[in-house]
Amino acid sequence: MKYKRLIMLFLMTVLLVVIYLCIPQKENNKTQKEKKEVLKTCKEEKLSDDWETEKICISDIKFVRVSEKEIDITWSDQKNPYVDTYYLMRRKPNENKWKQVGQLQSDHNIQDRELTLADILKEDTVQQYEYRIDVSVTDTKKYKPVEGNSIYASNLLICIDPGHFSGKNKIVDADGSSYSEGNATLILAKNLEEKLRLSYGITCILTRTTDDITLGGYTNDSLDEGHISLRGRYAQGSDLFLSLHTNANQDNANGYATDKQPISINKTLVFVNAVAYEDNRMLHLANAIGSYLTEVNYNMQVSESEKFQSIESKEEVKKWSDEYNDQLNVPGTVCVRWGEHGDYYGVLRGAATVNVPGLIIEHGFHTIPEIRKLVLTGELLEKWADADARGIAEGYELMKKEGD
C-alpha cells in the first residue's frame, strides 16, 4: 500500500513536469509562428517599397504666342534629374490622337531655368491646339512617366483697349458709391484677358494695365482729346482690336435725369470699323458678342430686351444716331458711325489705319443706377467678360478648355 502511494505520487510528479514543459513549448511555437508571419509581411512590404516607382510628369506648362507661325511651350527644369527626354505633343481640341512635334534632351541639372519647345506652324491662319509635355525617364525601375496637364494655345493675337482712364465719366450716387467708366473698363479688360488666355489659348496685349494710359508721349486727356487714334494704332500686328466701354445718353434723355435712366434704355451696341465692316467673320463675331451680352443683361434684370438684332451682311449694319442710342424698348445691334475721314471714332480709325479689324463694345448704359451697382460688386463685369470671350471664340470657331 505504501509503495502504491509512492508510485502514484511519482507518476503525478512526472505528469506535472511534463505538463509544465509542454505548455511553454506550445506557446513558443505559436510565438515563433507569429514572428515568422511578421517577418514575412515586413519582407513583402520592403519588396513592394523597393519596386514602387515615383511618378514623373510635367504639369506647369505655359504657352507663348511668338508669331503667326510659332507657338512656344515652356516649363521649369525642376524634373530634369529624373527625365531623359521631353516630347512636345499636340492635337486639335476635337481630336483623340496626339502627335509629337518636338523633343528636347534633358541635361539632368536643376538651375531654375525655363525650358522651351517651339511648334512651327505651316500656315499663318488662326489655329488652336491642345499641348502637353511627355517624358522618358532616366531609370524605369525608380521612375514612371505619366501624363501631365494639357493647355490650349493658339496663334491668335488680340489687342484690348480698356476705354478711357481712371476717374473718367465718374458718377457719385446718393449713397456715396462712385462709378467710373475708366475704372470699370480696366477691370473688365483684365478679366477678359485671363479668360481668353486660360480657356481658349488666346494671347492679348492691353493698351493700358494701370489707371493711366500713355501712348506716343501723350497721357490720359491729352491722349484722348487729340491723339486717340494711337489707341487703335497700338493694335498693329494683331488680329483684332477691341475697345471696351459702357454707354451713356444725352442729358435728361426720355424725361429722366441723365444718370437715372430706366433699364428699358439699355441695349448692347457693337461698333465695327471700316476693316471689320468688310469682313463677314468680323460681322459674325460682332453678332455673337452682342447676343451673349444681351443675354447677360436680360438675365441680370438690367435690360427689358432679350433680343439682339443680328445682321447677315454689311448692308444690314445700322447707322448709329443719338435718337436710336437713347430710344427705349429697342434691341441692340451691330453699328457703324462714319465721319469725314472714315471711321468717326478715333480708336477704330487708328486700328483701320494699321489694317486691323476693330470693334467698340458698349456693354450697357452706366447711366442706369442698377447697372452701376452691379458693376461695383464685380458680378456684372465678370459676366460681361465671359460673354465677350464666348463671342470671340464663336467668331473664330475656337473651343473652350474645360477645367482639369
Side-chain angles (χ1 to χ4, degrees):
M1 191 71 175
K2 181 178 179 181
Y3 291 110
K4 286 183 180 181
R5 289 178 180 171
L6 289 173
I7 292 172
M8 288 295 294
L9 182 60
F10 175 79
L11 291 174
M12 288 177 65
T13 302
V14 171
L15 181 60
L16 290 171
V17 171
V18 171
I19 291 172
Y20 176 82
L21 293 175
C22 289
I23 289 177
Q25 185 64 39
K26 289 180 180 179
E27 291 178 349
N28 287 339
N29 286 341
K30 182 180 179 181
T31 302
Q32 289 178 4
K33 185 177 180 181
E34 290 175 346
K35 286 182 179 180
K36 287 181 180 179
E37 291 294 331
V38 170
L39 289 173
K40 181 181 179 183
T41 302
C42 291
K43 186 176 181 180
E44 289 176 348
E45 288 178 351
K46 186 175 187 305
L47 187 62
S48 175
D49 287 340
D50 287 343
W51 285 95
E52 186 176 349
T53 55
E54 181 181 348
K55 295 178 180 178
I56 304 298
C57 68
I58 307 302
S59 297
D60 61 336
I61 64 174
K62 300 177 183 177
F63 78 93
V64 177
R65 185 263 192 200
V66 178
S67 69
E68 294 174 328
K69 282 192 164 186
E70 182 179 344
I71 299 172
D72 286 356
I73 304 301
T74 67
W75 68 99
S76 72
D77 66 357
Q78 297 303 302
K79 300 293 184 181
N80 261 6
Y82 324 109
V83 174
D84 183 52
T85 306
Y86 298 95
Y87 303 96
L88 177 60
M89 310 297 293
R90 84 171 190 202
R91 67 179 179 185
K92 287 191 174 295
N94 57 351
E95 292 180 351
N96 293 321
K97 188 176 181 180
W98 290 87
K99 177 184 178 181
Q100 181 185 323
V101 292
Q103 68 180 61
L104 176 68
Q105 194 73 26
S106 169
D107 63 8
H108 313 304
N109 296 319
I110 297 178
Q111 297 177 13
D112 292 324
R113 295 164 296 175
E114 192 174 71
L115 305 179
T116 302
L117 275 169
D119 184 17
I120 307 301
L121 308 177
K122 293 181 179 179
E123 300 178 358
D124 60 6
T125 55
V126 174
Q127 298 172 64
Q128 180 192 41
Y129 291 104
E130 183 175 10
Y131 291 94
R132 77 171 191 233
I133 297 293
D134 287 352
V135 299
S136 63
V137 293
T138 55
D139 189 338
T140 56
K141 292 183 178 180
K142 293 183 178 180
Y143 313 117
K144 178 182 180 180
V146 296
E147 293 180 7
N149 295 335
S150 64
I151 59 171
Y152 278 8
S154 76
N155 60 343
L156 184 61
L157 179 63
I158 294 178
C159 178
I160 301 175
D161 175 44
H164 305 294
F165 46 87
S166 178
K168 187 68 174 180
N169 296 332
K170 186 176 182 179
I171 298 174
V172 179
D173 284 306
D175 62 1
S177 59
S178 176
Y179 172 90
S180 163
E181 182 183 358
N183 293 68
T185 56
L186 181 59
I187 298 171
L188 177 59
K190 290 181 176 180
N191 284 347
L192 178 57
E193 183 279 329
E194 183 177 58
K195 290 178 185 295
L196 291 174
R197 174 169 44 86
L198 297 180
S199 296
Y200 302 100
I202 298 173
T203 299
C204 299
I205 57 173
L206 274 63
T207 58
R208 68 180 175 107
T209 57
T210 60
D211 289 342
D212 301 312
I213 179 170
T214 298
L215 294 172
Y218 303 98
T219 300
N220 295 352
D221 279 323
S222 65
L223 174 70
D224 282 5
E225 290 176 2
H227 307 275
I228 196 169
S229 64
L230 290 174
R231 286 179 178 260
R233 286 177 173 271
Y234 192 80
Q236 186 168 11
S238 302
D239 297 291
L240 176 64
F241 172 76
L242 296 175
S243 191
L244 309 184
H245 290 264
T246 55
N247 206 354
N249 42 262
Q250 298 182 92
D251 290 343
N252 302 312
N254 306 304
Y256 297 91
T258 304
D259 59 0
K260 290 182 173 56
Q261 292 292 302
I263 63 172
S264 56
I265 196 178
N266 198 27
K267 61 187 76 71
T268 299
L269 303 180
V270 183
F271 291 84
V272 295
N273 72 352
V275 179
Y277 182 74
E278 300 292 342
D279 189 332
N280 286 333
R281 168 179 264 184
M282 290 299 104
L283 297 182
H284 174 63
L285 186 149
N287 280 336
I289 291 175
S291 296
Y292 287 128
L293 284 171
T294 299
E295 179 184 337
V296 166
N297 289 335
Y298 182 76
N299 290 338
M300 295 294 289
Q301 299 181 348
V302 290
S303 175
E304 292 184 354
S305 176
E306 59 181 326
K307 181 182 179 182
F308 181 83
Q309 187 63 54
S310 296
I311 51 98
E312 297 295 330
S313 65
K314 66 180 184 180
E315 287 76 21
E316 296 180 17
V317 176
K318 188 175 184 64
K319 290 182 173 58
W320 181 92
S321 67
D322 283 321
E323 291 74 21
Y324 166 66
N325 187 77
D326 294 357
Q327 190 175 348
L328 305 179
N329 300 308
V330 294
T333 191
V334 180
C335 298
V336 291
R337 188 178 181 185
W338 305 121
E340 294 181 2
H341 306 287
D343 289 291
Y344 174 83
Y345 295 109
V347 292
L348 294 184
R349 191 169 60 252
T353 301
V354 292
N355 200 35
V356 175
L359 310 179
I360 289 176
I361 306 172
E362 297 284 5
H363 294 76
F365 283 66
H366 60 248
T367 50
I368 299 172
E370 291 86 350
I371 283 185
R372 295 197 296 273
K373 290 178 182 177
L374 285 174
V375 166
L376 290 175
T377 67
E379 185 178 5
L380 191 54
L381 292 178
E382 182 73 23
K383 292 184 181 296
W384 279 350
D386 187 60
D388 288 344
R390 289 170 64 193
I392 293 165
E394 184 173 314
Y396 284 105
E397 299 180 339
L398 303 180
M399 295 187 67
K400 183 177 182 180
K401 182 76 165 68
E402 301 298 336
D404 294 323

